[in-house]
Amino acid sequence: MTAEALIATAQALDGLGYMPSKSGNVSIRTERGFLITPSGLPYAQLTPKELVECGPDGGVLAGQRRPSSEWRLHADIYAARPDAQALVHTHSPHATALSCARRPIPPFHYMIAMAGGDDIPCSDYATFGTPELAQAAVRAIEGRRACLLANHGVVAIGSGLAAADALAREVENLAREYLLLLASGLSPVLLTPDEMVAVKAQFRGYGRPA
């Protein structure tokens, strides 16, 4: 994983409308901590020198800008999840809409298993950029690779940047499909726990994370 890949991921997500008004952030784990997008800079202007390397406590190790205001979110999840090598945080519209209703995404579609569990939970609410938000996210993502942040957005982690990016995009896709069902007045038929076990086994057979 490289600085260039981190920038390309952030810019692509911004281009999709998932990072409005310089919101959201992306990071990758490093030997000393993590490399993260800076605070307050439009993604189109990002260059490798604008990125910030932080230690586990958020202290700046390299870079001339301030790290994203959500550095604690990244630091605490990396501390809690040794399996996380990258983290993508978006404000993608459909998933954020669900987060504002504080509704998890239930197992209405088998792709829910891509996030590692039988649903995509929603965290408790906390003010952005605070230790309380970081810990709410750590709790919500336990046993999962993605969660919604109440009245805020999405967090997705992965074994690499491509995996975290793909999962963040899939969470938005699932949120859109779920909202379409709700808007139509239809009641989703949820997959059972046994059916989700079979899905996860099938994912493993196809090389997908589950």
Side-chain angles (χ1 to χ4, degrees):
M1 293 185 288
T2 65
E4 288 77 11
L6 192 157
I7 290 169
T9 297
Q11 289 177 340
L13 290 168
D14 184 38
L16 290 170
Y18 291 4
M19 310 284 226
S21 301
K22 298 179 286 189
S23 65
N25 27 79
V26 181
S27 73
I28 54 177
R29 192 191 289 270
T30 65
E31 290 185 0
R32 301 192 297 174
F34 56 96
L35 188 67
I36 190 169
T37 49
S39 176
L41 184 71
Y43 288 104
Q45 297 178 18
L46 271 182
T47 66
K49 70 178 183 180
E50 311 292 349
L51 299 177
V52 184
E53 186 178 18
C54 295
D57 62 353
V60 174
L61 301 176
Q64 298 180 358
R65 289 188 171 272
R66 289 183 294 114
S68 166
S69 61
E70 296 294 5
W71 65 263
R72 291 180 183 83
L73 175 72
H74 296 250
D76 285 11
I77 289 177
Y78 283 132
R81 297 292 297 270
D83 57 316
Q85 296 299 312
L87 190 155
V88 171
H89 167 44
T90 74
H91 291 190
S92 56
H94 297 90
T96 299
L98 277 179
S99 83
C100 292
R102 303 189 187 180
R103 293 188 68 154
I105 307 178
F108 76 98
H109 191 287
Y110 72 85
M111 286 296 285
I112 291 291
M114 188 175 175
D118 290 358
D119 67 353
I120 298 174
C122 184
S123 77
D124 295 330
Y125 176 74
T127 304
F128 75 93
T130 62
E132 291 77 16
L133 174 67
Q135 284 304 300
V138 168
R139 290 191 298 271
I141 208 168
E142 183 177 0
R144 303 288 191 274
R145 284 185 290 274
C147 68
L148 305 182
L149 300 177
N151 304 83
H152 190 147
V154 177
V155 169
I157 60 175
S159 58
L161 190 54
D165 177 38
L167 182 52
R169 293 172 187 241
E170 185 58 34
V171 171
E172 173 62 10
N173 183 53
L174 288 163
R176 180 180 62 83
E177 293 169 347
Y178 185 46
L179 283 171
L180 283 171
L181 270 170
L182 297 178
S184 72
L186 295 172
S187 297
V189 177
L190 303 183
L191 300 178
T192 67
D194 286 345
E195 288 168 336
M196 289 300 291
V197 167
V199 167
K200 293 172 193 175
Q202 191 78 339
F203 269 5
R204 285 191 290 272
Y206 279 94
R208 285 186 177 272

